[in-house]
Amino acid sequence: MMSGTIVIKNGYVFDPLNEVNGDKMDIFIKDGKVVKELSGSEMKDAKEIDANGKTVMPGGVDSHSHIAGAKVNVGRMMRPEDSYKWARGKTPLTHSGSGYTVPSVYMEGYEYSQMGYTTVFEAAVPPMEARHTHEEMRSIPMLDMGGYLVLGNNWFMMRYLKDGDIDRAAAYVAWMMRTHKTYGIKCVNPAGVENWGWGKNISSLDETNIHFEITPREIIDGLTEINEMLGMPMSMHLHANNLGHPGCFETTKESLKLSRSVKAKQNMGVEWADTKMDLKRDQSVYLTHMQFNAFAGTSWRDFESGVKPLADYINNTDHVVIDSGCVPFGEATCMTGDGPSIHDVAVLTGSKWSNTDVEMECGAGVCPFTYLKSNPVHSTQWAMGLECLLLIDDPWKTIMTTDSPNGGPFTKYPLVMSWLMSEASREQTFSECHKWANDRSTLGGVDREMSMYDIAILTRANTAKTIGMAHRKGSFGAGADGDVTIYDIDPTKVDTRDFDNLIQKFSTAEYTIKDGNVVCHNGEITLVPDRRTYYVDVDVKDADEKDMLKDVQEWFRYYSLGFKHYPTPEKYLVNPTVIKVNAEK
């Protein structure tokens, strides 16, 4: 598909990566890329959109969502009510679809686009199920995508790190990223998920697991070091131990301290298909769904928010970035690579439950869930998710998510935005919640109201920066992808007391533009664009990789499939876009 030439005129532009804060200006796009200006002849042929009195931001970027893969499909099967309660019909341009907490693949793409998002990353790809994950991503329209490879309980990683063989471990990670066409390192309940295969878990950072006798501390430290050795575009993506248990904030805080001594690699030689550049990031660890990692108390009876001590720590250090994992109430579907945590949810709720062990690599669990304002714990979780974003002073350390669909579906992002921007909106919800929301969190004493600039950081600029894509996503800098969201919101006249209007406007962007093409207008899909799948190809020494592969092939006798069937060929990807790291070798 050829990208046209377009000019967006007179909008109030919010582009934090380029320090543009509501300036009234024009945005020019040519051949799918942002340019500084267009020539006179190009202007004559350009499509023009008058954004006078409207908010203009780069296309939305979601760095943590569960929308593709085997456990997502299990979630769909366990939620049949989603299919008949929420559906859209086929049009000459679009497919039909269904689903609310876990929409079908077509619905996912359309609904993200309607909100103004153009880029979404799947947060957990089991290596053995990478082919299936890519097949689903291939079917999701509208969005550029990528995925994070789950490695925190991988047998090879545990063996190499236990032996202190960091070079072999690094060679293995590099090979796995290229083999399964994935983008970053994901670490889930390190050492604990392997124990879950034997009906056990891990309760502390220094408890060794069975068989491999390695601790979570050793795995977190090792994966963080490897991530920086290899110069990966994004920080190591951490789902900490004891998630979802009262008191887990202490484990989370200690886990964050482990990465303090590992300095983020400041100059990463990254080569894209169309350019080569040095990228920079500040953080060495990306803590995901912080709300679920921030439970305090010793039991559900004295449960309370543990966000403030974590936020205080993050405010005083520079090596951590978080996403929030907000809880917007209502129906959800809990799904995670942390199998034991899902089992505990099922025991608490009595709900149906699914569990999977992925041989030699990881595991997962799925459990439908409903968050109720009348429930004391749920109401506190709602407050905690917002605390994660409002108590951390620097918005460049935070990203807004619902850990979709764990805290709630991504379609509730506009509701979360209203709570962040409007104290009146929060007070309204407080009045509907169990009193624990106020009594056992600090949110009631927070009067901070985020600006449009802050929202652009949390949903675009910092998301792109965190995943190493600030040169082409979440930005209007010259050469960036021509992805634009236009909201029918005049930022000079925003009334935060009229939060229902904010929710409505954020829910349906007036225009979503991808690669210089209008793909959605006032909720109607107008074009199904080309899209990309990003993955990382990291160079390591040939001798290290040869030695590692000899060992992997020897141990592959424990797998139930042959070695030659393990890799994911590029044909499973839509428009594969490789990011070569340390390509100068």
Side-chain angles (χ1 to χ4, degrees), residues 115-126:
M115 294 193 305
Y117 279 73
T118 58
T119 306
V120 179
F121 274 67
E122 163 56 44
V125 180

Side-chain angles (χ1 to χ4, degrees), residues 346-385:
V347 170
L348 279 171
T349 63
S351 182
K352 52 190 172 183
W353 162 64
S354 173
N355 183 75
T356 299
D357 179 70
V358 181
E359 57 191 57
M360 294 183 66
E361 294 183 343
C362 54
V366 179
C367 181
F369 199 85
T370 303
Y371 293 95
L372 302 173
K373 291 178 181 177
S374 59
N375 183 290
V377 173
H378 301 172
S379 63
T380 307
Q381 286 184 266
W382 164 77
M384 290 167 61

Side-chain angles (χ1 to χ4, degrees), residues 297-544:
T298 60
S299 71
W300 298 115
R301 290 180 179 273
D302 64 358
F303 172 85
E304 62 182 350
S305 170
V307 171
K308 189 176 187 306
L310 285 177
D312 288 344
Y313 176 78
I314 294 168
N315 282 332
N316 288 287
T317 189
D318 293 323
H319 73 283
V320 180
V321 64
I322 67 101
D323 70 57
S324 55
C326 290
V327 170
F329 292 117
E331 297 296 313
T333 300
C334 296
M335 58 175 65
T336 174
D338 190 348
S341 74
I342 291 293
H343 172 259
D344 292 343
V345 169
V347 170
L348 279 171
T349 63
S351 182
K352 52 190 172 183
W353 162 64
S354 173
N355 183 75
T356 299
D357 179 70
V358 181
E359 57 191 57
M360 294 183 66
E361 294 183 343
C362 54
V366 179
C367 181
F369 199 85
T370 303
Y371 293 95
L372 302 173
K373 291 178 181 177
S374 59
N375 183 290
V377 173
H378 301 172
S379 63
T380 307
Q381 286 184 266
W382 164 77
M384 290 167 61
L386 301 178
E387 283 182 312
C388 292
L389 301 171
L390 293 170
L391 296 185
I392 295 175
D393 299 331
D394 184 357
W396 288 99
K397 294 181 179 179
T398 60
I399 292 167
M400 187 201 78
T401 69
T402 60
D403 185 21
S404 181
N406 284 281
F410 62 82
T411 49
K412 290 198 173 181
Y413 284 178
L415 184 56
V416 178
M417 293 178 191
S418 77
W419 286 322
L420 296 174
M421 294 183 69
S422 170
E423 188 178 8
S425 181
R426 298 197 295 270
E427 289 175 351
Q428 173 65 38
T429 304
F430 263 129
S431 72
E432 301 166 353
C433 283
H434 191 281
K435 67 184 186 71
W436 275 27
N438 216 332
D439 296 347
R440 304 201 179 192
S441 77
T442 64
L443 184 64
V446 177
D447 60 5
R448 179 181 180 184
E449 292 187 329
M450 287 193 163
S451 65
M452 283 290 187
Y453 191 75
D454 294 328
I455 294 298
I457 293 173
L458 269 59
T459 61
R460 279 123 169 116
N462 194 40
T463 322
K465 180 182 177 185
T466 296
I467 62 175
M469 286 196 172
H471 64 294
R472 71 180 301 169
K473 296 292 183 183
S475 167
F476 288 140
D481 291 352
D483 295 356
V484 187
T485 308
I486 303 175
Y487 294 114
D488 186 16
I489 302 173
D490 186 336
T492 68
K493 299 178 181 179
V494 169
D495 180 0
T496 59
R497 294 168 298 179
D498 187 10
F499 46 84
D500 286 336
N501 184 59
L502 279 176
I503 295 169
Q504 177 187 348
K505 298 300 186 182
F506 280 130
S507 296
T508 306
E510 182 165 340
Y511 288 95
T512 303
I513 298 167
K514 185 177 184 301
D515 295 327
N517 295 286
V518 176
V519 297
C520 191
H521 179 44
N522 288 328
E524 180 184 354
I525 303 300
T526 57
L527 180 71
V528 178
D530 290 341
R531 54 208 190 279
R532 309 172 188 88
T533 307
Y534 300 108
Y535 73 92
V536 169
D537 182 356
V538 187
D539 272 357
V540 294
K541 294 179 181 178
D542 291 339
D544 289 343

Side-chain angles (χ1 to χ4, degrees), residues 254-320:
E254 289 304 307
S255 299
L256 296 179
K257 289 180 179 179
L258 296 179
S259 305
R260 183 173 49 191
S261 60
V262 180
K263 186 173 178 59
K265 191 170 183 179
Q266 287 298 301
N267 292 296
M268 296 170 279
V270 176
E271 184 176 342
W272 295 75
D274 52 0
T275 188
K276 182 174 181 177
M277 61 187 63
D278 284 338
L279 302 181
K280 296 182 179 180
R281 57 175 162 79
D282 303 320
Q283 294 86 13
S284 57
V285 63
Y286 173 177
L287 176 69
T288 189
H289 39 66
M290 177 174 161
Q291 177 268 136
F292 291 107
N293 285 290
F295 289 12
T298 60
S299 71
W300 298 115
R301 290 180 179 273
D302 64 358
F303 172 85
E304 62 182 350
S305 170
V307 171
K308 189 176 187 306
L310 285 177
D312 288 344
Y313 176 78
I314 294 168
N315 282 332
N316 288 287
T317 189
D318 293 323
H319 73 283
V320 180

Side-chain angles (χ1 to χ4, degrees), residues 191-217:
V193 177
E194 171 57 26
N195 262 17
W196 183 238
W198 308 94
K200 301 179 183 296
N201 197 1
I202 289 286
S203 60
S204 75
L205 290 178
D206 294 307
E207 179 184 348
T208 59
N209 65 1
I210 56 179
H211 302 127
F212 291 91
E213 298 184 340
I214 190 169
T215 67
R217 184 182 301 274

Side-chain angles (χ1 to χ4, degrees), residues 162-234:
K162 180 61 179 176
D163 293 342
D165 196 343
I166 198 75
D167 290 333
R168 183 179 284 192
Y172 178 75
V173 171
W175 175 75
M176 287 285 278
M177 290 292 161
R178 182 171 64 252
T179 294
H180 297 296
K181 310 299 185 290
T182 46
Y183 188 85
I185 297 173
K186 177 70 175 289
C187 180
V188 179
N189 186 3
V193 177
E194 171 57 26
N195 262 17
W196 183 238
W198 308 94
K200 301 179 183 296
N201 197 1
I202 289 286
S203 60
S204 75
L205 290 178
D206 294 307
E207 179 184 348
T208 59
N209 65 1
I210 56 179
H211 302 127
F212 291 91
E213 298 184 340
I214 190 169
T215 67
R217 184 182 301 274
E218 292 171 306
I219 294 174
I220 294 170
D221 188 60
L223 285 175
T224 307
E225 182 179 349
I226 288 168
N227 195 79
E228 303 310 327
M229 281 177 62
L230 296 176
M232 297 290 286
M234 65 176 281

